[in-house]
Amino acid sequence: ADKDDAKEDDSKSDSKKSDTAKGSLDVSDIAAEALPSIVSLTTKSVQEVQNYYGMYGMFGYAPQQQEQEVEGSGSGIIVGKNDDEYLIATNYHVVEGADTLSVDLADGTAAEATVKGFDEEKDLAVVAVSVDDIDSDTKDAISVAKIGSSDDLKVGEQVIAIGNALGYGQSVTTGVVSAKNREVSLTDGTMNLLQTDAAINGGNSGGALLNASGEVIGINVAKYSSSGSSSNASVEGMGFAIPISSVKDIISDLETKETRTKVSEDERGYLGISGFDVDEQTSQAYSIPQGIQVQSVVKGGPAENAGIAASDVITKFDGQDVSSMASLQSMLEYYKKGEQVKVTIEYRDGREYKTKDVTVTLGDKSLIETTQNAAN
């Protein structure tokens, strides 16, 4: 009987290997184990839009500006938990500009979330949900994801993608690793990504790419089309994910940030600078560190008082990488005037750049504008 059982086990093993080779691996058990760690994200933001059909617009006058609430969707992965919060990794572009953020958990319950930190260049963000906002039944229904290694992946290896495809809720798709370290041009720059033929569509961004052991080996980020990244793709079978091994340390760092909420325009802190974005191409061409090269500082403003000068390059704000003026402005939406923040700059010393940390006391925009007007 034991021999018969052994033969049966061998037969099942051979069958499973055969199924895997054919790309028809049954992923139901993997999906069932991973789904409790995957969430859906819903964002709301208020944007200004032009109304061309207002009272005057119909007769050729300038269009009217009006505010409109815009809703977006994406996915996230529960990557950690502490005494106060569940920590969720997602793409920065999913939460970018969001005024409110809601997380739908595995059992269908929803909770408000706040952004802990983000890295625009790597398209990563970590958001937090308060433990106090989740009841005991929901806590039993969710789990922290298992993190694997993308460095160990092989081309052709089976993978599973889970995410909030098109905002309909969690969908499971399968495929293989089509390529590793694929250089992909996206809207905001170039990234080295995993390529897969697992179906990835709008709303999947921020969701998990799993290996056959159910470990997260990538964060889904884009689907390729002939016109770029789009949910209306005319090129099929090309999805991309951020390799988890390349961003583990960044996620861990973002998890430690102070949880912040957006502050009102009146309360918001300001640096008092103008500057240029220094991207990777510009950095290589002109031997300037990546970040923001300061064009000018407001006389007597926060930046100047902290020792920041024209031609310095700002590379970090409160420990977070700064890649553009837009990313810096997004960060400042969470900081109040009067707060002290560490800013990392690169300053020229002869033919070289040297690194220095300065402490900036964020200023009041109205006072900065008053100072500028007085100078003019």
Side-chain angles (χ1 to χ4, degrees):
D2 291 340
K3 291 181 180 180
D4 291 339
D5 290 341
K7 289 180 180 179
E8 186 176 343
D9 289 340
D10 289 340
S11 176
K12 287 180 179 178
S13 177
D14 292 341
S15 176
K16 186 172 183 179
K17 289 177 182 178
S18 176
D19 285 346
T20 303
K22 296 175 182 176
S24 58
L25 179 67
D26 182 352
V27 300
S28 57
D29 290 340
I30 299 170
E33 186 176 354
L35 278 167
S37 65
I38 312 299
V39 305
S40 299
L41 300 175
T42 301
T43 63
K44 290 184 179 180
S45 59
V46 176
Q47 300 178 11
E48 285 193 350
V49 296
Q50 291 183 333
N51 177 11
Y52 288 93
Y53 302 104
M55 183 183 299
Y56 301 104
M58 292 179 65
F59 298 97
Y61 292 94
Q64 301 289 307
Q65 292 285 339
Q66 67 179 40
E67 290 187 341
Q68 177 178 312
E69 187 175 75
V70 178
E71 187 171 292
S73 63
S75 307
I77 308 163
I78 302 175
V79 291
K81 178 184 178 296
N82 55 39
D83 291 340
D84 302 313
E85 300 166 321
Y86 283 92
L87 304 169
I88 298 165
T90 186
N91 293 137
Y92 169 67
H93 75 259
V94 171
V95 299
E96 181 182 8
D99 294 313
T100 63
L101 179 60
S102 176
V103 173
D104 290 319
L105 300 162
D107 65 345
T109 60
E112 290 186 8
T114 52
V115 176
K116 284 190 75 71
F118 57 83
D119 186 319
E120 182 184 17
E121 184 179 358
K122 298 296 184 182
D123 197 15
L124 287 172
V126 170
V127 302
V129 174
S130 174
V131 169
D132 294 336
D133 291 340
I134 302 176
D135 62 33
S136 58
D137 288 341
T138 299
K139 290 175 183 175
D140 290 338
I142 62 179
S143 62
V144 175
K146 295 187 296 183
I147 306 299
S149 171
S150 54
D151 292 339
D152 298 332
L153 286 174
K154 297 178 181 178
V155 173
E157 185 174 336
Q158 186 93 29
V159 288
I160 303 98
I162 303 180
N164 181 23
L166 302 180
Y168 286 128
Q170 302 304 349
S171 298
V172 178
T173 57
T174 62
V176 297
V177 176
S178 303
K180 297 173 64 176
N181 299 316
R182 184 74 83 195
E183 188 174 282
V184 182
S185 295
L186 301 173
T187 305
D188 298 319
T190 301
M191 299 179 71
N192 289 321
L193 303 172
L194 295 172
Q195 181 186 330
T196 177
D197 64 348
I200 294 175
N201 292 285
N204 271 109
S205 291
L209 190 68
L210 308 167
N211 61 19
S213 298
E215 299 169 328
V216 177
I217 45 84
I219 300 175
N220 300 325
V221 65
K223 181 175 184 176
Y224 184 81
S225 73
S226 56
S227 59
S229 297
S230 169
S231 58
N232 298 316
S234 57
V235 177
E236 297 300 328
M238 294 183 71
F240 296 94
I242 301 169
I244 198 66
S245 296
S246 69
V247 293
K248 275 183 181 178
D249 291 343
I250 296 173
I251 292 173
S252 296
D253 182 56
L254 295 177
E255 288 177 344
T256 65
K257 298 296 181 184
E258 178 186 348
T259 303
R260 292 177 173 271
T261 56
K262 282 189 177 182
V263 299
S264 67
E265 186 79 19
D266 293 340
E267 294 181 304
R268 193 171 302 164
Y270 288 83
L271 272 177
I273 67 161
S274 62
F276 300 104
D277 298 349
V278 182
D279 58 19
E280 184 178 2
Q281 186 175 2
T282 304
S283 174
Q284 293 176 351
Y286 298 99
S287 299
I288 302 172
Q290 284 185 248
I292 299 171
Q293 184 169 43
V294 178
Q295 179 186 15
S296 64
V297 294
V298 174
K299 186 174 178 59
E304 186 185 59
N305 290 340
I308 299 175
S311 80
D312 289 345
V313 180
I314 297 174
T315 57
K316 290 180 181 291
F317 180 85
D318 197 17
Q320 300 177 76
D321 289 337
V322 172
S323 58
S324 66
M325 284 294 290
S327 68
L328 178 60
Q329 289 164 354
S330 295
M331 292 175 187
L332 284 166
E333 291 179 352
Y334 295 87
Y335 290 80
K336 293 183 179 181
K337 56 191 177 186
E339 282 195 67
Q340 291 189 331
V341 182
K342 183 174 75 174
V343 177
T344 302
I345 63 171
E346 300 276 342
Y347 66 96
R348 187 179 287 279
D349 184 11
R351 294 184 177 182
E352 299 179 341
Y353 277 92
K354 293 186 176 179
T355 304
K356 179 171 65 175
D357 289 333
V358 298
T359 300
V360 179
T361 301
L362 298 177
D364 187 323
K365 182 182 180 182
S366 62
L367 295 178
I368 293 173
E369 290 176 339
T370 300
T371 302
Q372 287 179 310
N373 291 335
N376 293 336

